[in-house]
Amino acid sequence: MSCTLRQALPTDAAVLAELGALTFTHTFGHMYTPQDLQDFLADTYTVEKHLVPLTDPRESLWLLEDEHGQALGFGWAGACKLPVQDLESNAGEIKRLYVHPGHQGKKLGGRLLEAMLAWLEKQGFDPLYIGVWSENYGAQRLYARHGFGKVSEYEFPVGNHRDREFIFKRA
């Protein structure tokens, strides 16, 4: 399968929001009440919420498409907003790394991650962080292969539910 990886544009906001909601629901939807999930999706995966980072020079979203222009995955990187104690002023973060459920296991996540890491480093972000669900073992292994390790944890709210999230750091 031939894929193209490119930085996303404001015109991609709807595709990013739709793919984000689909992937989040597929991966995590079973953990929440229908109301908590619905509220979270309605607040998080909107076109408007995706337009903001697409127009911010300290943020970058990446879109991976097949040869027909179908979105296979996307990633979002930029200034760190995780609840890190004594957060470094120039810390960067991998904010999202989503691969369409039908295309997982094809090393597309690694390709997206490498592009975002290169962009973060070129922009001078250091150190780098990523938040990951405590039971997303596959993602944790991917991040470990790229030099990340657990440094702390926090609670990630989805409606009234709180997920145990790990914060990984790459120095």
Side-chain angles (χ1 to χ4, degrees):
M1 168 175 48
S2 174
C3 301
T4 302
L5 178 60
R6 63 176 176 83
Q7 284 188 287
L9 303 168
T11 54
D12 297 314
V15 170
L16 298 170
E18 181 180 336
L19 182 57
L22 170 76
T23 306
F24 186 90
T25 301
H26 178 267
T27 307
F28 306 112
H30 66 281
M31 298 168 39
Y32 313 112
T33 66
Q35 190 63 55
D36 282 346
L37 179 62
Q38 180 183 346
D39 291 347
F40 180 78
L41 295 175
D43 181 58
T44 305
Y45 297 102
T46 66
V47 172
E48 295 77 18
K49 290 265 177 111
H50 285 79
L51 280 172
V52 172
L54 286 167
T55 58
D56 183 338
R58 301 241 328 139
E59 305 283 320
S60 183
L61 281 83
W62 296 81
L63 184 58
L64 186 63
E65 299 170 309
D66 69 11
E67 62 272 11
H68 306 293
Q70 290 294 107
L72 303 178
F74 84 94
W76 176 5
C80 185
K81 304 286 191 224
L82 289 169
V84 174
Q85 187 173 1
D86 300 320
L87 182 66
E88 300 87 343
S89 63
N90 208 36
E93 177 187 352
I94 301 292
K95 298 170 184 273
R96 294 207 181 122
L97 177 56
Y98 288 172
V99 175
H100 188 286
H103 296 282
Q104 293 176 0
K106 299 178 182 179
K107 302 195 182 293
L108 300 178
R111 187 169 169 193
L112 280 161
L113 180 59
E114 289 170 9
M116 290 187 291
L117 291 173
W119 181 86
L120 285 163
E121 290 167 3
K122 184 177 179 182
Q123 300 303 310
F125 286 106
D126 184 55
L128 304 179
Y129 291 92
I130 188 163
V132 59
W133 179 46
S134 60
E135 295 181 39
N136 191 342
Y137 306 115
Q140 291 175 39
R141 285 189 301 271
L142 172 65
Y143 305 146
R145 285 194 301 269
H146 286 85
F148 286 85
K150 181 184 171 198
V151 293
S152 65
E153 47 187 87
Y154 72 106
E155 290 187 342
F156 181 82
V158 177
N160 293 314
H161 184 90
R162 298 294 179 264
D163 289 336
R164 182 174 173 224
E165 295 278 317
F166 292 158
I167 296 176
F168 278 35
K169 178 180 181 179
R170 177 178 163 184

